[in-house]
Amino acid sequence: MKTNLYPDVNAKVSGVVDFYGSVSVMREDSTPTTINHLQADSPEGMEMGHVDLRENSDLRRKLSVECNISKDTDIPPVLIIHGTKDRTVNTIGSTDLYLKLKECGKEASYILIKGADHGGGEFTSPAVLKELDAFIKHVLA
C-alpha cells in the first residue's frame, strides 16, 4: 500500500541511520548473547514463523539485509554506527552490510566506535554527533 497519511508532507526516506542494528543472521555468531541463536524459539526464529533457521538458509537470506541488496536496489544513503565491543549484536553484521552496500555502488558510511558496547554514552559523544549531524544535513540538502 502506498498511501501517505499526510499527503502534503513528503514521506520519501532521504537517509538511513543504523545504530548497532541486528541486520543479519547469516553468521553463526551474529548475536553472541543469544544462547538459542537461529533456533525456532530465538527472536529471529520466531520472526520467521518459529522456524529453526539453522536448517533453512533461504529464510536466513530473507531476514538478512545484505542478502536483499543489489545494484538495482533503490536505497538512500546509509550511515552505520557500531561499537567494536558490542556483546549483543556482533559488529560483523554491520561490516557485511557496509561492504555489500559499497559493492553495489550505494552511498554508505561506517563508523566503528572503539571499545563501545551495544549503546551507551559513546554514541552521543561530540565526535559521533558531529558525524550524525553532517550526514543528516547531507541527505536533507
Side-chain angles (χ1 to χ4, degrees), residues 28-118:
E28 296 298 323
D29 61 346
S30 64
T31 53
T33 58
T34 306
I35 296 170
N36 62 343
H37 179 56
L38 297 176
Q39 297 175 33
D41 63 340
S42 69
E44 58 273 22
M46 289 189 286
E47 178 67 26
M48 298 309 281
H50 295 273
V51 173
D52 188 333
L53 295 173
R54 296 172 299 178
E55 301 168 0
N56 196 319
S57 59
D58 288 341
L59 285 180
R60 283 171 81 170
R61 281 190 291 280
K62 285 183 180 180
L63 191 57
S64 299
V65 177
E66 79 280 10
C67 297
N68 293 283
I69 296 172
S70 70
K71 290 182 190 255
D72 297 329
T73 305
D74 184 19
I75 188 166
V78 177
L79 171 61
I80 302 167
I81 305 173
H82 210 128
T84 62
K85 296 218 175 167
D86 192 325
R87 295 171 287 172
T88 303
V89 175
N90 194 325
T91 306
I92 196 67
S94 290
T95 302
D96 289 345
L97 174 57
Y98 172 74
L99 292 173
K100 181 65 174 200
L101 288 164
K102 296 306 277 185
E103 174 188 314
C104 291
K106 308 304 177 188
E107 185 178 340
S109 302
Y110 188 21
I111 299 171
L112 278 170
I113 302 175
K114 187 174 181 179
D117 198 357
H118 192 75

Side-chain angles (χ1 to χ4, degrees), residues 112-133:
L112 278 170
I113 302 175
K114 187 174 181 179
D117 198 357
H118 192 75
E122 300 92 340
F123 291 91
T124 57
S125 71
V128 173
L129 292 177
K130 181 178 178 183
E131 293 289 333
L132 183 58
D133 183 61

